[in-house]
Amino acid sequence: MAEAADIQGAPLAPARRRWLRRAVVLLAGTPVLAGLVYSHAPEAQAAETAAAAVDVQLDAMAPSAPVKGDTLTISGTVTNNGSEKITDAHVGLRVGPALGDRSSIGEAAERGAFRAGTDPAEVGAEFAVKIDSLPSKISQPFTLKVPVNKLDLDEDGVYQLGVSLSGETESRQYEQVLGIKRTFLPWQPEAAAKRSQLAYVWPLISTTHLTSETGSDELQTPVFLDDSLADELRPDGRLGQMVSLGKDLPITWVIDPDLLYTVDAMTKGYRVRTPDGRTVQGKNKAIAEQWLSSLETAVQGKKVVALPFADPDIASLAHRGKDVSGTLGQLRPATDKAKQAVETVLHVPASTDFSWPVDGAIDPSIVNVATSAGAHNVLTRSDSLQETGALGYTPSAARPIGAGTTAVVADADLSTAFQGDMLRAGNSTLAVQQFLAQTLALNLQETDSQRSFVVAPQRMPSTSQVQTMAAAIRGLQAGRWSQAADLETAAAATPDPRAATQVPGAGQYPEALSKQELPVSAFEKIRTTETTLDHFKVILTAPDRVEIPFGNTTNREMSASWRGRPAEAWDYRDQVQQYLIRLTEKVKIIPKSDATLSGHSATIPVTVQNSLVQDTHHLVLRVRSANPTRLMFGDSGESQQEVAVQGGHSQTVKFPANATASGPVEVTAQLFTTDGVPYGKARKFTVEATEVTPTVMLVIAGGVLLLVLAGIKMYASRKRVAARAAAEESTQQSDESPDTGPQSADPSGTGETVDR
């Protein structure tokens, strides 16, 4: 065909000649050519079934992006999943033609069994690894080594690689492909004249670990839900790996300041709540110190973006929380705390100009809420802000969406490249190669402008996912088709005027994400806690001791980290509210027993107890008589006095009372804040009022007078008797002494039931 074309004066283009040359190799290397061309459908199906008998895994590929003169080394394992032993087998490498675009890469990655006539022939028998026998259910490792100059890589591009095992079985005693695994080889041996800019988001985010509870000591020692954060911080843990690997990578650190705050709290000493409700001393202070020190070193000279404190769920706020009073007002303080936390703990400047909705999914309400705290950049994803026209290329990340807001559109394929199970070396290797292939394909798209792209991976990647991400970024560091940039640079890049800027409507928000949002009841619960806190802090002389920890807890209750964990989220909010109520109940009126008021007037004592460690003020104690016609306080049925009680003390307040009639009266004692809001529980007790009239007093006075007169008469009589006795004794001249002495006539004391 090539000769005919040349004879006709229309020589084939180089790319066309290379395609034909590869097709000839394919046909020449395909066994039983006539059978492949004319096989019936059942035979083709049987071939695919046989091909599935062997699982081929590619555990490592180096170099991931080779240059001229390199030797490509691929190692892995083959496993015979079939029931028959495989003989006379070998592992070979197949190199397909360059893939035309990004969609071709995706299609090739999803392709399964070997396809005769589609998959290319092996590179060369001399590079194959022979396996004489592979019994059923047995695995065997292999290592292929092929010089790159033997791969026939003519033009820059992404090439499909296939590693296959071919051999015979007892039922099919001829060579056939029994298993294949495909991957990609990015080929750009020389630096491109125009290279893309790539900004990689490196998220330092964890779940909520701190409770609202703190110790009564001066440092307010924090109490943790558990000690699981220490496992993440260890050198081999998820966050430990993110720091140790990230310090050498060209990435943008995107940090939840609550994580910094929490780890910093661990370094100062902390306690951990046990399943039975006790708290014990935390034991991983040194691990927290080491991690924080390593992070501080790693971020020096790097760009740091601080999310609002505790990473609030922007979409839940927009869809479920905005109509609950006070909810959106939490975003501004969360943003202010974010900048302060990063600069205080890490001693580096931080940008707070970015908002990151979950999975980058946006709609108009999400954008409005995301920017309400001052952020001008919304980190979204290309599967949310999709292109509507046929540009033929992927535009830059920055998109102006109105009102001074920029949508920074992360590439969806690149951002989701490392989700799933990366523990298996085979999965990790394939993910790295596909990521590199996609980035090269982006740069090879036909456009005259230099473009900038963003990768925003999952918020909390696992340890294996972190390691795979790091391997992929290292594969780009040669800079032959991309160059590293930071997130702020990507946001400030000149936008493509042809790129889509229309924010999708509310109806396009993914249903799966909507089902994970915090419910309205969550924000109502948070509002209840805030109201309780507002009433509580009014009476405190040091309100910061509760305002700061509970304010931070409010942010944590709105965190995006609760997605997919509704039961745990509800328990957390409930524990916060219950703990706050227990604190408020430490300032209370001591229950009082019933009292008796004897007489026209007396004082009734009421005691207020403060079991907090700090003093209270701005409290008013009010007592009220249920029957003012019988018992009065002052000139009315109620009275009040201001109360200030030292921490750990009680104070008794005395109220003057007047009885106007006898009988039981119910009295209510209630604390109020100085602005008239009831505080705590009211206490009720009964006062038995005994009113004494003037007539009764006159009768009592008369009786007392008669008793006095009788006493005088008795005294005089005794005196006369004593005188006569003395005279007789004198006459008889007796020496005997008297046999009786004077007796005490003091009355017995009486007890008082109320103060007089």
Side-chain angles (χ1 to χ4, degrees):
M1 292 175 59
E3 293 175 358
D6 287 337
I7 292 173
Q8 294 173 359
L12 293 173
R16 179 66 174 169
R17 288 201 300 272
R18 284 191 294 270
W19 183 88
L20 286 173
R21 187 163 60 248
R22 198 174 298 276
V24 170
V25 173
L26 171 64
L27 293 175
T30 303
V32 195
L33 178 60
L36 288 175
V37 174
Y38 298 108
S39 65
H40 298 293
E43 294 176 351
Q45 184 176 0
E48 289 193 3
T49 301
V54 174
D55 178 41
V56 181
Q57 290 295 321
L58 309 182
D59 297 333
M61 176 173 166
S64 55
V67 295
K68 294 176 180 177
D70 284 341
T71 295
L72 182 65
T73 302
I74 302 175
S75 59
T77 58
V78 289
T79 303
N80 182 3
N81 292 327
S83 58
E84 298 180 307
K85 181 173 68 174
I86 299 171
T87 57
D88 295 328
H90 68 273
V91 178
L93 179 65
R94 302 168 184 268
V95 182
L99 300 171
D101 51 34
R102 298 185 69 188
S103 61
S104 300
I105 296 174
E107 291 171 1
E110 294 175 359
R111 194 175 301 156
F114 176 77
R115 296 181 182 180
T118 301
D119 285 307
E122 294 181 6
V123 170
E126 66 272 25
F127 304 116
V129 174
K130 295 187 180 300
I131 299 177
D132 294 332
S133 175
L134 186 63
S136 174
K137 312 305 179 185
I138 297 299
S139 299
Q140 184 166 325
F142 67 86
T143 298
L144 290 171
K145 293 187 176 182
V146 182
V148 171
N149 59 11
K150 299 295 185 179
L151 300 181
D152 197 19
L153 306 175
D154 298 326
E155 57 184 344
D156 297 344
V158 175
Y159 290 83
Q160 178 183 314
L161 296 185
V163 176
S164 60
L165 180 133
S166 302
E168 300 180 4
T169 63
E170 293 181 1
S171 60
R172 295 178 177 273
Q173 297 182 5
Y174 55 87
E175 184 176 285
Q176 58 191 303
V177 177
L178 298 173
I180 188 170
K181 182 68 70 176
R182 299 177 182 82
T183 187
F184 304 97
L185 180 70
W187 178 247
Q188 176 82 56
E190 304 293 336
K194 173 174 58 64
R195 294 177 298 164
S196 305
Q197 292 185 333
L198 189 70
Y200 206 107
V201 168
W202 201 251
L204 282 186
I205 299 172
S206 186
T207 57
T208 294
H209 295 277
L210 272 174
T211 70
S212 55
E213 184 175 351
T214 59
S216 59
D217 55 307
E218 187 66 26
L219 295 177
Q220 288 188 266
T221 300
V223 177
F224 283 59
L225 290 168
D226 51 44
D227 216 359
S228 61
L229 180 57
D231 295 332
E232 295 188 68
L233 299 177
R234 297 180 193 279
D236 59 347
R238 185 180 71 84
L239 293 172
Q241 286 286 287
M242 292 207 74
V243 172
S244 62
L245 295 173
K247 66 181 172 58
D248 298 322
L249 298 175
I251 44 87
T252 297
W253 298 88
V254 175
I255 302 176
D256 173 11
D258 184 34
L259 175 61
L260 302 183
Y261 182 96
T262 303
V263 179
D264 187 57
M266 292 177 69
T267 67
K268 296 178 175 65
Y270 67 105
R271 299 188 68 80
V272 178
R273 182 187 293 164
T274 61
D276 60 1
R278 297 179 300 111
T279 63
V280 297
Q281 189 66 37
K283 299 179 180 179
N284 292 295
K285 176 181 176 181
I287 292 175
E289 291 174 337
Q290 179 58 49
W291 185 85
L292 210 54
S293 176
S294 299
L295 176 60
E296 185 177 353
T297 301
V299 298
Q300 298 303 316
K302 302 284 185 69
K303 290 292 184 180
V304 176
V305 170
L307 298 173
F309 192 89
D311 187 22
D313 192 334
I314 302 298
S316 293
L317 286 166
H319 297 156
R320 315 289 178 93
K322 64 180 180 180
D323 294 329
V324 178
S325 175
T327 299
L328 294 186
Q330 299 296 326
L331 275 180
R332 173 61 73 176
T335 301
D336 295 340
K337 283 186 285 189
K339 187 176 183 68
Q340 180 182 4
V342 172
E343 295 179 355
T344 300
V345 177
L346 298 181
H347 308 103
V348 294
S351 169
T352 57
D353 205 23
F354 289 83
S355 183
W356 189 12
V358 172
D359 284 1
I362 60 172
D363 61 24
S365 63
I366 293 175
V367 171
N368 290 338
V369 170
T371 57
S372 63
H376 296 90
N377 301 300
V378 180
L379 188 55
T380 181
R381 216 164 63 182
S382 59
D383 52 356
S384 181
L385 193 63
Q386 297 180 1
E387 295 300 317
T388 55
L391 286 180
Y393 61 87
T394 303
S396 286
R399 316 279 180 86
I401 55 177
T405 301
T406 299
V408 183
V409 183
D411 186 86
D413 287 338
L414 300 181
S415 297
T416 58
F418 307 112
Q419 294 181 359
D421 178 19
M422 294 293 145
L423 279 173
R424 296 180 62 181
N427 293 348
S428 177
T429 298
L430 296 179
V432 169
Q433 293 305 127
Q434 187 168 349
F435 179 86
L436 297 178
Q438 290 281 1
T439 57
L440 176 56
L442 275 171
N443 196 63
L444 290 173
Q445 291 173 341
E446 296 183 4
T447 176
D448 296 330
S449 302
Q450 184 187 44
R451 293 164 296 157
S452 60
F453 304 108
V454 170
V455 181
Q458 56 273 33
R459 267 175 157 74
M460 289 183 280
S462 66
T463 301
S464 59
Q465 290 169 347
V466 171
Q467 294 166 345
T468 306
M469 287 160 51
I473 297 172
R474 286 193 295 267
L476 292 174
Q477 285 187 287
R480 296 196 297 274
W481 61 84
S482 72
Q483 54 186 342
D486 59 73
L487 190 58
E488 287 186 319
T489 300
T494 302
D496 189 325
R498 299 176 59 194
T501 58
Q502 182 66 42
V503 175
Q508 296 175 266
Y509 188 77
E511 184 179 356
L513 291 180
S514 181
K515 290 180 178 179
Q516 293 183 341
E517 291 178 351
L518 299 176
V520 174
S521 59
F523 296 102
E524 292 173 340
K525 183 81 168 182
I526 294 170
R527 176 67 262 181
T528 300
T529 302
E530 290 174 336
T531 301
T532 305
L533 178 63
D534 290 342
H535 291 164
F536 183 42
K537 66 186 182 184
V538 168
I539 72 167
L540 304 177
T541 56
D544 285 353
R545 286 183 66 91
V546 295
E547 190 171 16
I548 292 175
F550 276 99
N552 293 339
T553 301
T554 297
N555 295 137
R556 296 183 185 113
E557 289 177 291
M558 301 180 183
S559 175
S561 68
W562 295 116
R563 286 201 171 217
R565 302 188 298 142
E568 292 93 330
W570 177 261
D571 288 344
Y572 185 79
R573 292 189 296 269
D574 193 54
Q575 291 169 8
V576 170
Q577 174 70 3
Q578 293 304 316
Y579 175 63
L580 179 57
I581 290 174
R582 289 197 300 272
L583 284 181
T584 64
E585 291 175 345
K586 288 180 179 290
V587 180
K588 61 184 179 181
I589 300 171
I590 297 297
K592 183 174 176 59
S593 59
D594 295 343
T596 300
L597 178 62
S598 299
H600 181 69
S601 65
T603 58
I604 296 178
V606 179
T607 302
V608 178
Q609 183 184 64
N610 176 13
S611 299
L612 298 171
V613 296
Q614 62 170 296
D615 301 346
T616 59
H617 62 174
H618 296 160
L619 273 175
V620 173
L621 176 59
R622 185 181 302 171
V623 292
R624 179 173 52 83
S625 170
N627 189 351
T629 61
R630 180 175 294 173
L631 179 66
M632 298 180 62
F633 293 99
D635 297 331
S636 65
E638 66 180 34
S639 179
Q640 66 180 40
Q641 295 185 44
E642 287 197 21
V643 183
V645 189
Q646 291 183 328
H649 289 75
S650 299
Q651 180 175 327
T652 299
V653 182
K654 296 182 179 180
F655 291 91
N658 299 305
T660 58
S662 299
V665 179
E666 185 180 71
V667 175
T668 301
Q670 172 71 63
L671 285 171
F672 291 83
T673 59
T674 51
D675 55 359
V677 178
Y679 184 90
K681 296 179 180 179
R683 297 294 184 184
K684 295 184 178 182
F685 56 95
T686 299
V687 174
E688 185 69 32
T690 305
E691 194 275 331
V692 184
T693 65
T695 302
V696 174
M697 290 295 294
L698 182 59
V699 172
I700 293 174
V704 171
L705 179 58
L706 290 174
L707 288 173
V708 171
L709 292 175
I712 293 173
K713 183 177 180 180
M714 291 175 65
Y715 175 76
S717 176
R718 288 179 181 177
K719 195 167 183 64
R720 287 194 299 272
V721 171
R724 285 197 300 269
E728 290 175 357
E729 289 176 359
S730 176
T731 302
Q732 297 173 5
Q733 296 180 350
S734 174
D735 292 332
E736 295 179 3
S737 298
D739 59 356
T740 59
Q743 297 180 358
S744 174
D746 293 340
S748 299
T750 59
E752 292 182 334
T753 56
V754 295
D755 295 334
R756 300 295 300 236

